[in-house]
């Protein structure tokens, strides 16, 4: 059994407004879910890159809305053929909290208010159709006796159903 199936959508940005490509990718997701019955199916590893890239802004509001529609439809199709599969999005929390949240600030300073606004606008629509969210964080730790070391943690966090 496949434990986790992850698809990066960063390279597939143009599809969300093109019906044939949109439907072809949905059919591919459905086939993978049906054939492998994964425990987890993560749609869009580092989905925050669709909102803010290393070089600046990501998708327009209309393109993001198309991605959310795509995500919702993909989740429905995956669950239809693999009901026990936990479906969700993958987010690099560090990039989300710095680059995406910065777009909610007048001066690019990021605090809890900007993070909350970005979370509400960007992540809650995905979480409404998710069982899990896969969070990735790269923490840089300074040590007095050694050079900076980078550690990476990644976890799938179950959404409360209560």
């Amino acid at each position: 059994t496949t434990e986790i199936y992850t698809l990066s959508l960063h390279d597939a940005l143009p599809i969300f407004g093109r019906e044939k490509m949109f439907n072809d990718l949905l059919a591919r997701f459905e086939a993978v879910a049906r054939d492998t019955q994964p425990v987890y199916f993560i749609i869009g590893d580092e989905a925050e890159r669709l909102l803010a890239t290393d070089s600046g802004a990501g998708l327009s509001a209309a393109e993001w809305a198309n991605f959310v529609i795509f995500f919702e439809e993909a989740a429905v199709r995956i669950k239809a053929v693999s009901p026990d599969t936990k479906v969700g999005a993958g987010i690099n929390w560090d990039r989300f909290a710095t680059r995406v949240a910065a777009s909610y600030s007048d001066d690019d300073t990021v605090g809890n208010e900007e993070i909350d606004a970005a979370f509400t606008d960007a992540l809650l629509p995905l979480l409404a159709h998710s069982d899990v969210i896969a969070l990735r964080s790269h923490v840089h730790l300074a040590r007095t006796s050694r050079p900076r070391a980078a550690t990476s943690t990644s976890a799938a966090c179950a959404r409360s159903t209560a």
Side-chain angles (χ1 to χ4, degrees):
T1 302
T2 304
E3 292 294 321
I4 300 175
Y5 182 83
T6 301
L7 178 71
S8 174
L9 296 175
H10 186 67
D11 295 329
L13 289 178
I15 70 154
F16 303 119
R18 297 187 178 134
E19 189 173 345
K20 180 172 178 0
M21 292 174 79
F22 184 98
N23 289 327
D24 288 349
L25 190 54
L26 287 173
R28 180 175 169 211
F29 281 17
E30 189 174 353
V32 167
R34 181 185 57 249
D35 296 346
T36 64
Q37 300 288 305
V39 175
Y40 297 97
F41 198 120
I42 304 303
I43 303 168
D45 182 40
E46 297 189 347
E48 81 291 340
R49 292 179 73 187
L50 299 174
L51 292 168
T53 66
D54 292 337
S55 61
L59 298 176
S60 69
E63 290 168 321
W64 178 253
N66 284 340
F67 171 70
V68 172
I69 291 166
F70 173 83
F71 183 91
E72 293 170 2
E73 180 64 24
V76 167
R77 289 193 184 195
I78 291 164
K79 293 298 242 177
V81 297
S82 185
D84 294 331
T85 296
K86 305 293 185 222
V87 179
I91 302 293
N92 179 313
W93 182 253
D94 301 323
R95 187 179 295 118
F96 182 84
T98 56
R99 298 198 189 279
V100 176
S103 67
Y104 289 81
S105 171
D106 293 332
D107 60 4
D108 287 338
T109 15
V110 176
N112 288 338
E113 187 175 316
E114 290 79 15
I115 292 171
D116 288 348
F119 188 90
T120 299
D121 288 351
L123 294 186
L124 284 184
L126 299 179
L127 291 174
H129 301 280
S130 298
D131 301 304
V132 297
I133 186 165
L135 294 176
R136 178 178 298 145
S137 180
H138 304 280
V139 181
H140 297 280
L141 303 172
R143 299 189 183 215
T144 55
S145 60
R146 296 187 218 166
R148 289 182 90 161
T151 60
S152 176
T153 57
S154 185
C157 303
R159 189 176 118 233
S160 172
T161 57

